[in-house]
Amino acid sequence: MKAAYFRQPGPPEVIEYGELPTPECGPNQVLIQNAAVAVNPIDTYIRAGWIDQPAPRPTIVGCDAAGTIAALGKQVRGISVGDRVWTTNQGLLGRQGTFAEFAAVDAQWVYPLPAPVAFDDAAACALVGVTAHLGLIQRAQIQPSQTVCIQGAAGGVGLMVIQMAKWANAKVIALAGSDKKCQHCRAFGADFVLNYRDSDVWTKLREIAPAGVDLIWTTSRQPDFDPLVTALAERGTIVLMAGREARPPFPVGPFYIKQCRMLGVVMFKATPAELHKAATDISGWLADGTLRAPIAVRFPLSQTAAAHRLQQAATVDLSQELLGKIVLFPDR
């Protein structure tokens, strides 16, 4: 089969595209013939060697995929050959990645995909949708009439949080880094949109939510907690999802006086049951139109190195070029 892989970590140029053996199913696995895969920031960290974890060699990149079942392990039940499915949580903790024509995946990480939903939409919403669901719905348990502020709202996770918060009937304030990104957030349902590069952004936020916001979701890898804590309402919540090596100063006094809380969300540490709950909602929301896939760019699988360059520029170098997700398709 054709696959995108690397032999040793490094820059995007270490990614090769070529033939690898088609994997065989273990007893509790299914073989997915991939129709679409999607890039996530963590894919670039793993490829670069910035995350120390076990990995097969060569390492196929990628966490997310959608396609059809091509084969079943002997102990797999409830799934049939030909079923449409999607998956995430691959390419991590010793599991092989998804950027290939076929992927052997433990059945516990595989979710049904309703017929109306396009494969590229499912792949684009996989990891980012699960992350948003875990933090907003399962951990923070957002309630109707609460106010949600998303810092870095124009990325894959941010656009998922906007839509899920609107599903929960919350008021959504999106903070994005350019006028173009602000327009994009508004198109995905944000009630208010502010450019976080404006010097008076926090003053404008206070005008929108004079009593403070109930939940701040930050996608920043190096959060500045002073304005975030100031913007929180009494008993407000901050959700963190990035910044593995970050050690920023923290305003302990204002935080505890307001009786606030902070939640860390790590998708690959969620239980199979938590991921299944998220996947059930995501599949249903994609089918009924509640959730739209934020696809920004499409590439053939043979252009995985170029896709990684674009994602890394957006995540690490803070380029303003990317508005959403990168999806790739196996070359046929």
Side-chain angles (χ1 to χ4, degrees):
M1 68 173 185
K2 294 289 188 181
Y5 58 91
F6 62 89
R7 300 178 189 277
Q8 293 296 329
E13 290 70 28
V14 302
I15 296 175
E16 302 178 44
Y17 178 73
E19 291 286 342
L20 289 180
T22 300
E24 296 183 1
C25 289
N28 294 301
Q29 291 185 317
V30 301
L31 185 68
I32 302 173
Q33 183 173 6
N34 292 327
V37 297
V39 183
N40 294 284
I42 194 171
D43 302 345
T44 67
Y45 307 157
I46 292 169
R47 182 224 68 233
W50 298 339
I51 295 178
D52 184 19
Q53 63 169 14
R57 288 289 187 268
T59 303
I60 299 173
V61 299
C63 294
D64 298 340
T68 56
I69 298 295
L72 301 172
K74 293 181 179 179
Q75 297 180 20
V76 175
R77 301 291 183 270
I79 305 176
S80 301
V81 171
D83 283 358
R84 305 172 85 252
V85 296
W86 62 276
T87 187
T88 187
N89 211 16
Q90 303 309 300
L92 301 163
L93 304 177
R95 295 189 286 274
Q96 191 59 283
T98 56
F99 276 42
E101 292 181 292
F102 294 90
V105 178
D106 289 355
Q108 66 180 348
W109 310 121
V110 176
Y111 315 110
L113 182 63
V117 182
F119 290 121
D120 54 345
D121 288 348
C125 292
L127 183 148
V128 293
V130 167
T131 300
H133 194 284
L134 289 170
L136 191 70
I137 308 298
Q138 298 190 47
R139 298 286 305 283
Q141 298 182 349
I142 191 67
Q143 299 297 311
S145 78
Q146 288 188 323
T147 301
V148 176
C149 176
I150 305 127
Q151 184 186 40
V157 174
L159 294 171
M160 291 288 103
V161 175
I162 289 173
Q163 295 179 84
M164 292 185 192
K166 291 306 298 179
W167 169 85
N169 292 316
K171 181 168 71 174
V172 177
I173 306 168
L175 307 184
S178 72
D179 291 343
K180 187 176 181 180
K181 288 188 173 184
C182 286
Q183 293 172 6
H184 199 57
C185 292
R186 193 178 301 280
F188 274 81
D191 298 296
F192 302 92
V193 182
L194 300 174
N195 189 327
Y196 62 68
R197 298 183 187 279
D198 291 346
S199 59
D200 60 350
V201 61
W202 300 109
T203 300
K204 291 179 178 178
L205 179 61
R206 177 63 67 179
E207 292 172 354
I208 295 169
V213 296
D214 299 293
L215 183 142
I216 295 177
W217 184 298
T218 179
T219 67
S220 173
R221 296 170 66 236
Q222 191 70 241
D224 181 355
F225 284 111
D226 272 308
L228 298 184
V229 171
T230 299
L232 280 176
E234 187 81 12
R235 300 200 176 192
T237 299
I238 295 175
V239 178
L240 304 177
M241 52 156 280
R244 173 183 296 262
E245 303 299 327
R247 298 291 189 274
F250 186 79
V252 173
F255 185 82
Y256 96 83
I257 289 295
K258 284 186 178 180
Q259 304 183 84
C260 297
R261 64 173 177 165
M262 190 163 350
L263 302 173
V265 178
V266 183
M267 185 279 299
F268 61 82
K269 288 189 173 182
T271 67
E274 288 170 334
L275 264 69
H276 190 273
K277 178 178 176 60
T280 299
D281 281 345
I282 290 165
S283 292
W285 290 337
L286 284 169
D288 68 18
T290 297
L291 202 61
R292 285 194 292 139
I295 299 174
V297 185
R298 292 174 168 86
F299 284 103
L301 191 61
S302 57
Q303 297 300 308
T304 296
H308 268 232
R309 279 192 291 272
L310 179 58
Q311 182 67 68
Q312 185 167 313
T315 307
V316 179
D317 303 328
L318 302 181
S319 162
Q320 297 298 307
E321 296 179 15
L322 189 62
L323 293 173
K325 295 286 294 180
I326 305 169
V327 173
L328 297 93
F329 303 90
D331 303 59
R332 302 252 191 248

